[in-house]
Amino acid sequence: MAGIQQLQISSCLRIAQLILLAVLAVRLAEATGNIGVNYGTLGNNLPVPTQVAQLVLSTTIRNVKIYNPDQAIMQAFANTNIKLVVGVPTESIALLATSTAAAQSWLQTNIAAYMPATQVTLLAVGNEIFTNSPNLASQLVPAMTNLHTALVTLKLDTQVKIGTPHNLQILEKSYPPSSGAFRSNITTEVKSLLEFLATTGGPIMVNFYPYFAYSDDPKNVSLGFALFQADAGVTDVNTGLHYNNMLDAQLDAVYSAMERMGYHNIPILISETGWPSGGDPLELAATPANAQTYNLNLIKYVTANKGTPLRPGTMVDAYIFALFNENMKPGSLSERYFGLFNPDKTAVYNLGLVNNTSPPATVVPAPPANIYPPPITVPAPPANVYPPPITVPAPAVYPPPAPAVPAPPPPAPAAYPPPVAVPAPPAPIVLPPPIPVMAPVPPVQSGNSGKTWCVAKAGSSEADVTNALTFACGEGGADCGMIQAGGACYNPNSVVSHASVAFNAYYQKFGRNYWNCYFGGTAVITITDPSFSGCSFH
Ligand SMILES: *[C@@H]1O[C@H](CO)[C@@H](O)[C@H](O)[C@H]1NC(C)=O
Ligand SMILES: *[C@@H]1O[C@H](CO)[C@@H](O)[C@H](O)[C@H]1NC(C)=O
Ligand SMILES: *[C@@H]1O[C@H](CO)[C@@H](O)[C@H](O)[C@H]1NC(C)=O
């Protein structure tokens, strides 16, 4: 009995999951927020930039962050209507800090020459300088200032803002969120940075990785809190504000740190965030399902524009890390599995971001067969490795050591002055309904009518597949006669083979929506007819 009850409960959960996905897809269709993606290039098997631009165009993403103004990349995004955040290489900071003439000449060659065909909205000067290149810390703001002066001269300063991405380690304290404070060894530099941002209207750019906060301290940090899932959450003892996800807590720690230095109106831009879909066996949370959950919930979070407990209604833009799995990225194995796409342009998992009014650019993916992909042989990174590896985990904000002296609560949100004019955020992404699979609908090709099938995903746990199979043939209402003894698809008599037949029957019956091929992450859409000797997949 207990077993049946469990199966029923698990079936209910599956249904709830499927409904949730469908609801989420509808919500995404109505969304208006600003989601972008980081296009890193530390892979020796990535598509050429023109193909990358086409790939982005096949999605609803219209904001891309690149790590340096590579000529081919700048040209590939010309006339695409895609807005770029362009990295200014760390190696150029010392030169740019010397004079406005140096900055103007750099801008002319690397940025202005491509405009307006290529739309540049923001320069990201260096990457995580205060934590990763402390020797350049004192030159960072002078370089940014010279760039800004040069932009004014070139009359580009209203279109192009200037920022610099930070590791969250710039905070000495991040919990409770209201006690957020910058590291004391960078007080002078941070003060001049905030003054610069407040004057020029640029955002403070911070890379937020709830994944590292979790994986660094899984005993104390709840996975649900990091994944924006239902969780008890935490309450800030100073403000009484309740937090039910880690990103809110991390954002408020940064708002509080700026508040503490007297800056109330500088917007935060999430310059990187993401979750790996694979890693080594100890990186337990690095799974396709968690990566999909994090990024789907992130998109939902950003597009809802609800703001944080400390700053309700305050919008943030977020750039997902990363567009591709990059096989030359140094660091732990998970570093090479942050991508939304494989190098062959197939989706690693579904995110519902396909623009279904544009022609499909790729074929349906085979998602990673293993949760823990086999190690990739990492070639020696190129001399100019950029961006630096994410080696420093973001500080966990949950749960915290209690502060020795509680910081005074920041003023109630309502007390903040109205936001000053900040740079126009990238245009909202208009998501056309209905939301199809991120893995685009396969193109019609000879021998294939454009039909898709749903089969069990290799590498899924047998227990999960069994649960999903029970659901499909039970409450799911799929016709499973073919896999019963004597049925055309009974042999081979294995759970995985039977599940493929049942999943497909369910998927076809409900109209081949991607959310009809989820089954708790154990199923995958294919463009190849899986029929075999006598067993026909309709
Ligand atoms: C400040 O201290 C942190 C932590 O010890 C260190 O990682 C960082 O490099 C230092 N930054 C500077 C600019 O000295
Ligand atoms: C969890 O937090 C407690 C209290 O802050 C600390 O003593 C302990 O070391 C932490 N556990 C781990 C695994 O870090
Ligand atoms: C979708 O694609 C069509 C055709 O290429 C294009 O006109 C439209 O702007 C795209 N929409 C989005 C939101 O990307």
Side-chain angles (χ1 to χ4, degrees):
M1 282 311 285
I4 287 170
Q5 262 175 356
Q6 261 171 7
L7 279 181
Q8 281 172 344
I9 290 168
S10 119
S11 296
C12 287
L13 285 176
R14 297 282 173 234
I15 292 175
Q17 236 168 1
L18 293 169
I19 291 172
L20 256 175
L21 269 176
V23 168
L24 186 53
V26 171
R27 288 190 54 124
L28 282 175
E30 298 160 351
T32 56
N34 304 299
I35 284 286
V37 67
N38 279 278
Y39 168 19
T41 55
L42 291 180
N44 61 6
N45 52 1
L46 299 180
V48 296
T50 48
Q51 291 176 356
V52 175
Q54 287 308 309
L55 175 64
V56 174
L57 283 173
S58 78
T59 74
T60 50
I61 293 174
R62 289 295 177 271
N63 299 281
V64 172
K65 178 167 161 280
I66 63 177
Y67 287 88
N68 67 64
D70 174 84
Q71 184 180 15
I73 296 177
M74 295 296 282
Q75 283 171 348
F77 284 96
N79 306 311
T80 56
N81 215 25
I82 290 170
K83 295 186 165 62
L84 293 186
V85 175
V86 180
V88 176
T90 298
E91 305 83 75
S92 303
I93 290 176
L95 169 72
L96 296 171
T98 57
S99 68
T100 55
Q104 188 165 332
S105 147
W106 187 93
L107 268 179
Q108 208 39 282
T109 313
N110 294 287
I111 305 293
Y114 301 99
M115 294 177 68
T118 302
Q119 293 185 43
V120 179
T121 56
L122 178 64
L123 298 180
V125 184
N127 198 37
E128 304 188 342
I129 296 299
F130 287 157
T131 45
N132 295 4
S133 311
N135 55 318
L136 289 172
S138 63
Q139 288 162 284
L140 179 59
V141 176
M144 294 169 79
T145 304
N146 286 338
L147 282 168
H148 178 72
T149 308
L151 282 173
V152 172
T153 307
L154 297 171
K155 298 199 171 16
L156 291 174
D157 57 306
T158 49
Q159 293 165 57
V160 184
K161 297 297 169 190
I162 299 179
T164 177
H166 302 288
N167 189 299
L168 195 50
Q169 291 279 343
I170 51 166
L171 298 188
E172 197 152 69
K173 240 178 131 175
S174 57
Y175 195 90
S178 61
S179 69
F182 292 106
R183 288 192 182 279
S184 47
N185 64 347
I186 48 172
T187 303
T188 314
E189 292 84 355
V190 166
K191 180 96 191 160
S192 62
L193 173 69
L194 296 180
E195 189 56 35
F196 172 83
L197 296 175
T199 312
T200 59
I204 183 163
M205 305 172 75
V206 183
N207 301 334
F208 294 93
Y209 283 100
Y211 169 73
F212 288 114
Y214 168 77
S215 63
D216 206 35
D217 193 9
K219 287 209 174 73
N220 283 335
V221 177
S222 128
L223 182 60
F225 192 61
L227 288 174
F228 305 88
Q229 287 172 328
D231 185 86
V234 296
T235 298
D236 185 319
V237 291
N238 298 328
T239 58
L241 292 172
H242 187 74
Y243 290 84
N244 51 29
N245 69 76
M246 188 178 292
L247 185 63
D248 266 342
Q250 292 182 333
L251 284 164
D252 276 356
V254 175
Y255 284 128
S256 299
M258 290 197 287
E259 194 76 50
R260 195 155 270 114
M261 296 190 72
Y263 292 87
H264 314 284
N265 301 310
I266 298 172
I268 297 177
L269 184 144
I270 300 174
S271 35
E272 287 182 11
T273 191
W275 197 285
S277 63
D280 68 46
L282 291 177
E283 300 181 283
L284 288 175
T287 68
N290 285 344
Q292 181 188 41
T293 299
Y294 181 81
N295 283 322
L296 277 174
N297 285 337
L298 172 80
I299 293 168
K300 195 170 137 189
Y301 174 95
V302 169
T303 53
N305 284 337
K306 272 170 64 184
T308 64
L310 206 51
R311 298 287 176 92
T314 302
M315 200 178 83
V316 290
D317 296 345
Y319 287 76
I320 295 175
F321 189 89
L323 187 55
F324 292 110
N325 282 338
E326 296 168 65
N327 69 352
M328 294 164 75
K329 207 158 184 302
S332 66
L333 188 58
S334 61
E335 291 284 345
R336 300 185 275 293
Y337 285 92
F338 270 86
L340 302 181
F341 287 92
N342 296 300
D344 66 359
K345 297 186 283 179
T346 57
V348 177
Y349 43 84
N350 295 333
L351 267 192
L353 290 176
V354 154
N355 177 355
N356 70 335
T357 62
S358 58
T362 62
V363 295
V364 168
N370 289 305
I371 288 178
Y372 308 116
I376 290 172
T377 309
V378 188
N384 60 338
V385 168
Y386 189 83
I390 306 162
T391 48
V392 188
V397 297
Y398 168 79
V405 180
Y416 297 141
V420 293
V422 295
I429 301 166
V430 181
L431 296 127
I435 296 296
V437 285
M438 179 169 202
V441 176
V444 177
Q445 45 186 240
S446 58
N448 178 347
S449 57
K451 185 168 175 179
T452 51
W453 294 264
C454 176
V455 295
K457 189 195 290 183
S460 307
S461 93
E462 187 155 340
D464 289 351
V465 176
T466 305
N467 271 344
L469 174 59
T470 307
F471 163 73
C473 296
E475 293 173 55
D479 178 0
C480 292
M482 293 169 300
I483 52 174
Q484 268 138 32
C489 304
Y490 178 70
N491 287 316
N493 180 11
S494 75
V495 169
V496 168
S497 177
H498 287 180
S500 288
V501 175
F503 292 178
N504 184 63
Y506 179 90
Y507 173 71
Q508 303 297 339
K509 175 179 169 180
F510 288 101
R512 298 206 283 263
N513 299 298
Y514 79 89
W515 57 84
N516 299 136
C517 185
Y518 180 63
F519 295 103
T522 66
V524 60
I525 293 169
T526 174
I527 56 165
T528 311
D529 186 346
S531 301
F532 56 90
S533 58
C535 171
S536 161
F537 281 62
H538 298 292

